[in-house]
């Protein structure tokens, strides 16, 4: 006789994203040494004090790291992969219900604000040397 799996009709689920990322995952190993809190304070001059609130730069920097480490070259594909992959969401601090920035917003920041910060020497290798 063929078995049938019935989907449980629960209203709430107990789900911890941290439990679903393997201990030996590359992003978990990188996360142990990554501290981007200083980055936010150093990037503050590149953000306007008026207008609508911007997207937090830390998740966007983490998205860049995911793209570089996993070989994802397209910004549109990177945003799609982060939306779908639990380990990527965990690394970017998005949780299950966090909104992934639109690929155009991500691209604008990467080619504009972050590039200016790199040219000014704010984003440099000293982040890695501090770890």
């Amino acid at each position: 006789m063929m078995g049938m799996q019935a989907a449980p009709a629960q209203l709430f689920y107990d789900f911890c994203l941290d439990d679903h990322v393997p201990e030996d995952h590359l992003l978990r190993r990188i996360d142990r040494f990554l501290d981007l809190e200083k980055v936010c304070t150093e990037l503050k001059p590149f953000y306007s004090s008026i207008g609508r609130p911007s997207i937090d730069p830390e998740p966007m920097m983490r998205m860049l790291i995911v793209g570089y480490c996993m070989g994802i070259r397209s910004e549109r594909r990177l945003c799609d992969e982060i939306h779908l992959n639990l380990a990527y969401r965990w690394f970017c601090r998005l949780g299950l219900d966090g909104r992934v920035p639109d690929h155009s917003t991500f691209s604008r920041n990467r080619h504009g604000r972050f590039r200016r910060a790199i040219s000014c020497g704010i984003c440099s290798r000293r982040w890695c040397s501090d770890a």
Side-chain angles (χ1 to χ4, degrees), residues 16-107:
C16 180
L17 193 57
D18 193 51
D19 295 341
H20 295 276
V21 179
E23 288 296 323
D24 62 342
H25 196 282
L26 173 65
L27 294 176
R28 192 179 280 276
R29 290 183 291 189
I30 291 171
D31 188 61
R32 288 185 193 120
F33 299 102
L34 191 63
D35 181 22
L36 295 177
E37 288 192 29
K38 290 187 280 184
V39 176
C40 294
T41 57
E42 292 182 15
L43 284 176
K44 196 168 182 114
F46 295 92
Y47 286 85
S48 175
S49 59
I50 59 172
R52 62 184 172 151
S54 65
I55 296 172
D56 185 5
E58 183 176 351
M60 301 235 292
M61 298 295 277
R62 288 177 174 274
M63 287 175 69
L64 280 172
I65 293 168
V66 169
Y68 292 138
C69 291
M70 301 304 171
I72 303 171
R73 301 175 81 186
S74 162
E75 289 158 354
R76 186 182 300 260
R77 183 167 167 248
L78 176 62
C79 292
D80 289 343
E81 290 290 327
I82 289 173
H83 179 74
L84 296 173
N85 190 307
L86 292 178
Y88 298 172
R89 292 184 77 82
W90 172 84
F91 182 76
C92 295
R93 306 289 191 260
L94 293 173
L96 287 175
D97 56 351
R99 206 163 158 240
V100 178
D102 186 71
H103 68 90
S104 62
T105 305
F106 180 73
S107 179

